[in-house]
Amino acid sequence: MKIYNTQTASKETFTPLVPGRVGMYVCGVTVYDVCHIGHARSAVVFDVIRRYMQSRGFEVKFVKNFTDIDDKIISRARKENISWDEVARKYTEKYYEDMHKLGVRDADVEPRATGHIKEIIEIVKGLVDKGRAYVVDGDVYFSVENFSGYGKLSGRKLDDMMAGARVEVDERKKNPMDFALWKSSKPGEPAWDSPWGPGRPGWHIECSAMSLKHLGETFDIHAGGADLIFPHHENELAQSESYTGKQFVRYWIHNGFITVDKEKMSKSLGNFFTIEEVLGKFDPETVRLFLLQTHYRSPIEFSNEPIEEAERSLERFYQTIERVDEFLAKPEQAGAEKESGLKESVSSFRVKFGEAMDDDFNTALAIGHVFELVKEINRFLDSKPPRNAANAELAEDAKKAIAESALVLNAFNRTPEEWTRAMLKTKKIEATEPEIEQLIEEREKARDSKDWARADAIRAQLEKSGILLEDKKDGEKKTVWRVKV
RNA sequence: GGCGGCGUACCCAAGUGGUAAGGGAGAGGUCUGCAAAACCUCGAUGCAGCGGUUCAAAUCCGCUCGCCGCCUCCA
């Protein structure tokens, strides 16, 4: 398995610290507002990576934190006129709601910054004792000049950064790049007691404390959005390695952004679409597929069209599964074996899917392979194979191969009926299933008496309300319906 | 200013040295009462442009053009 490591800027073969086990820390969200589709991407991508690791037999300890104390939370609380911890609770809940809909599994450990104040103070104290940090008026700053490795994650030099620093220089800092480990609180702000007076943790220190506690001094994977590389992850690395004297993280993984008109989607630009908005128009599986159809490090330009394409892809997929199910439901038939490439396609699919995922989690390629297999299955069924034991086994195996990959992608894993019902809901179809069935029956009668005008009128009527009809030649059902996507 | 990334057919998109996956749209065909779906066929002699390295380059190197990201909170 190869992983692109941000720190070395190259793909590396993945070897866990402890054979068979993987420690993985993902930077979650600051719970001060609802999540947008960019947050969804990050969550979905790392969810898939976790699932893939597990499918490869690794025992994964997956930690994802919530930042529940921060300037933005405090200002949000003022704006909403509620307490800061109510803000955190409210948006943590909303986060779970969105992520559960998207099929993102909860982490094994979901620590919160405020639950680790003791550990944070411990580390800050240690850094001060080691001379890696200094105290100024109740604030504690990390001294970047004392850590020779500063910049090694993001690939920048201290001198180059200082040249371009646009930040207002705090005269009390020894170096403009020094950052707060502990911030003294103003009256009325949330505060915890510390050796430096009442205050709260700086942004970066929580992740150092929580990863140390739950994954140890050195762990395998640390992941997050590419915008966290600097300064967040760079600073985490500096703190942690200064404190433990050991390597902090072995593989850094960062996902690319979602863009709107080529620009990064972000709260500050206001060009974002919330998860709730997107899920109001599209099925969660559709959204998941859309997010995974691009490699996780590449940008995704957000627009409806590619999501609609993902929807059509799933429609095609579930129609194929339906065909397989119909084939399997047929009574046993005798018949000579026909030449079929399907058997080979299924086994090569299993290999290629694994290869794609092994190569830096190339879900886009892996999904491409799924659709190659879908085509092969359709081709097989089009060849009208006899429903004998051998062919049934082959069809079952094809379904099984897809189900195996579905475990990793957490897509392609519903039944055609579930998909259709989901589409009725997503497309807000007014007609009920019995109504549709009744019109189909009426149309059947018209067709039997060769009243084509009547038959076509009914078909047109249903299409207007979003239902497409397909007349089948064989099988029990003469006409099937589906939702127009 | 520093550092980094991207530019592949009408659209989305994979592909880091061996002769361009996959999907959508389009054209023709098989099937159909007609459709739809599915399948078949067609579709970039070329991967922003120019030069170079190599038996071989979308893939490596150099330059140019265009777009974006990080350096400030940010998935």
Side-chain angles (χ1 to χ4, degrees), chain A residues 462-476:
Chain A
L462 278 169
E463 179 164 358
K464 244 176 116 177
S465 52
I467 301 297
L468 292 180
L469 297 189
E470 285 176 22
D471 298 330
K472 300 273 180 176
K473 266 204 89 179
D474 48 28
E476 290 300 303

Side-chain angles (χ1 to χ4, degrees), chain A residues 26 46 57 95 112 131 271 305 349 375 383 473 477:
Chain A
V26 176
F46 298 125
Y95 175 89
R112 289 143 203 261
N271 60 346
E305 203 198 319
F349 165 74
K375 185 177 219 163
S383 76
K473 266 204 89 179
K477 281 195 242 169

Side-chain angles (χ1 to χ4, degrees), chain A residues 125-193:
Chain A
K125 220 190 311 185
L127 288 169
V128 172
D129 290 347
K130 285 187 173 190
R132 298 307 190 94
Y134 53 93
V135 185
V136 186
D137 307 331
D139 292 335
V140 184
Y141 290 102
F142 182 86
S143 175
V144 294
E145 282 166 4
N146 289 347
F147 180 66
S148 62
Y150 197 77
K152 69 180 176 184
L153 173 63
S154 54
R156 42 192 99 202
K157 298 186 190 92
L158 221 36
D159 296 342
D160 294 339
M161 284 188 287
M162 283 190 282
R166 283 181 277 152
V167 260
E168 191 187 333
V169 178
D170 186 334
E171 291 300 327
R172 304 174 310 161
K173 288 188 191 176
K174 292 183 184 164
N175 183 302
M177 297 310 293
D178 289 350
F179 53 91
L181 296 171
W182 188 261
K183 294 168 138 175
S184 60
S185 294
K186 297 183 191 84
E189 284 181 350
W192 287 262
D193 286 331

Side-chain angles (χ1 to χ4, degrees), chain A residues 98-279:
Chain A
D98 288 344
M99 293 306 164
H100 289 166
K101 279 185 192 155
L102 285 169
V104 174
R105 268 174 54 202
D106 289 349
D108 299 312
V109 186
E110 303 189 324
R112 289 143 203 261
T114 55
H116 294 72
I117 300 294
K118 208 183 91 204
E119 290 86 348
I120 289 169
I121 289 173
E122 188 70 19
I123 295 174
V124 176
K125 220 190 311 185
L127 288 169
V128 172
D129 290 347
K130 285 187 173 190
R132 298 307 190 94
Y134 53 93
V135 185
V136 186
D137 307 331
D139 292 335
V140 184
Y141 290 102
F142 182 86
S143 175
V144 294
E145 282 166 4
N146 289 347
F147 180 66
S148 62
Y150 197 77
K152 69 180 176 184
L153 173 63
S154 54
R156 42 192 99 202
K157 298 186 190 92
L158 221 36
D159 296 342
D160 294 339
M161 284 188 287
M162 283 190 282
R166 283 181 277 152
V167 260
E168 191 187 333
V169 178
D170 186 334
E171 291 300 327
R172 304 174 310 161
K173 288 188 191 176
K174 292 183 184 164
N175 183 302
M177 297 310 293
D178 289 350
F179 53 91
L181 296 171
W182 188 261
K183 294 168 138 175
S184 60
S185 294
K186 297 183 191 84
E189 284 181 350
W192 287 262
D193 286 331
S194 83
W196 317 283
R200 58 194 151 89
W203 175 34
H204 318 294
I205 194 67
E206 53 170 283
C207 287
S208 288
M210 295 187 280
S211 63
L212 175 65
K213 179 170 180 184
H214 300 289
L215 294 169
E217 293 179 328
T218 301
F219 58 95
D220 296 302
I221 295 172
H222 194 133
D227 45 6
L228 297 180
I229 296 169
F230 193 92
H232 185 54
H233 288 162
E234 190 71 61
N235 291 353
E236 269 185 56
L237 187 159
Q239 296 159 353
S240 293
E241 297 197 352
S242 295
Y243 181 66
T244 66
K246 305 220 173 83
Q247 181 184 22
F248 177 44
V249 167
R250 306 177 71 237
Y251 303 88
W252 290 91
I253 307 181
H254 293 96
N255 68 275
F257 303 126
I258 291 187
T259 59
V260 174
D261 292 330
K262 301 266 185 179
E263 272 187 322
K264 180 188 169 188
M265 183 182 287
S266 75
K267 283 280 165 61
S268 43
L269 284 170
N271 60 346
F272 59 89
F273 293 84
T274 66
I275 294 174
E276 191 172 27
E277 270 178 277
V278 177
L279 290 183

